[in-house]
């Protein structure tokens, strides 16, 4: 199997896993997570969708960019470094955060503009760190 066909198979498998994940969610969680997914995609249009740790993800330049998931009462965006959380502290007031995670309530409108800023900050962080 060639590398490109292996990549295509991985992308197909990830796409199926993401669709299956979304299908398993209650309608409200699915709707809100789709909004999060769209905001991520808007901020990182060249990112490749994937599936890792049992949740949907995006990779950029072959490296993990962000993971996102829906839970009973919130959706989550990971990983967000302490530096990113500090830089956006004022905007993150009112959102639950913990080490590496930002949670968005499913009962409140998703702050798409904030999500895009966070994803762009994460892209900058990855590119600053350079390739492994």
């Amino acid at each position: 199997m060639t590398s490109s066909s292996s990549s295509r198979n991985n992308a197909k498998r990830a796409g199926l896993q993401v669709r299956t994940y979304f299908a398993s969610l209650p309608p409200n969680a699915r709707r809100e997570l789709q909004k999060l997914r769209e905001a991520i995609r808007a901020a990182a249009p060249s990112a490749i969708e994937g599936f890792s740790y049992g949740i949907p993800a995006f990779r950029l330049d072959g490296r993990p960019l962000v993971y996102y998931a829906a839970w009973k009462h919130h959706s989550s965006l990971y990983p967000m470094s302490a530096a990113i959380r500090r830089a956006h502290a004022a905007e993150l007031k009112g959102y639950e955060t913990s080490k590496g995670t930002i949670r968005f309530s499913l009962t409140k409108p998703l702050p798409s503009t904030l999500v895009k800023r966070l994803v762009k900050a994460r892209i900058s962080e990855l590119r600053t760190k350079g390739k492994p």
Side-chain angles (χ1 to χ4, degrees):
M1 185 180 302
T2 66
S3 178
S4 64
S5 67
S6 177
S7 294
R8 277 193 303 273
N9 286 340
N10 287 343
K12 283 182 184 179
R13 184 172 46 252
L16 177 61
Q17 289 170 310
V18 170
R19 285 191 302 277
T20 301
Y21 180 85
F22 271 81
S24 73
L25 298 172
N28 184 50
R30 183 180 319 127
R31 214 174 11 260
E32 294 304 311
L33 196 63
Q34 183 61 35
K35 291 175 188 175
L36 181 56
R37 180 187 193 192
E38 289 168 4
I40 295 166
R41 193 182 302 269
S46 61
I48 306 296
E49 198 156 33
F51 197 82
S52 186
Y53 299 106
I55 58 175
F58 281 93
R59 296 180 68 79
L60 185 66
D61 302 330
R63 301 172 69 199
L65 174 61
V66 292
Y67 301 87
Y68 61 105
W71 305 99
K72 187 172 185 177
H73 300 290
H74 68 273
S75 60
S76 295
L77 181 64
Y78 333 73
M80 288 294 139
S81 68
I84 291 174
R85 291 192 319 274
R86 275 192 307 274
H88 295 88
E91 295 170 282
L92 290 171
K93 280 193 191 298
Y95 298 100
E96 188 178 342
T97 63
S98 63
K99 187 177 180 180
T101 305
I102 300 169
R103 294 179 190 89
F104 303 104
S105 172
L106 294 178
T107 61
K108 296 179 183 171
L110 180 76
S112 295
T113 302
L114 173 58
V115 170
K116 291 173 192 173
R117 280 193 209 115
L118 293 168
V119 172
K120 287 178 181 180
R122 176 76 177 130
I123 291 168
S124 178
E125 184 177 73
L126 279 179
R127 291 192 168 149
T128 300
K129 288 181 181 179
K131 301 225 181 228

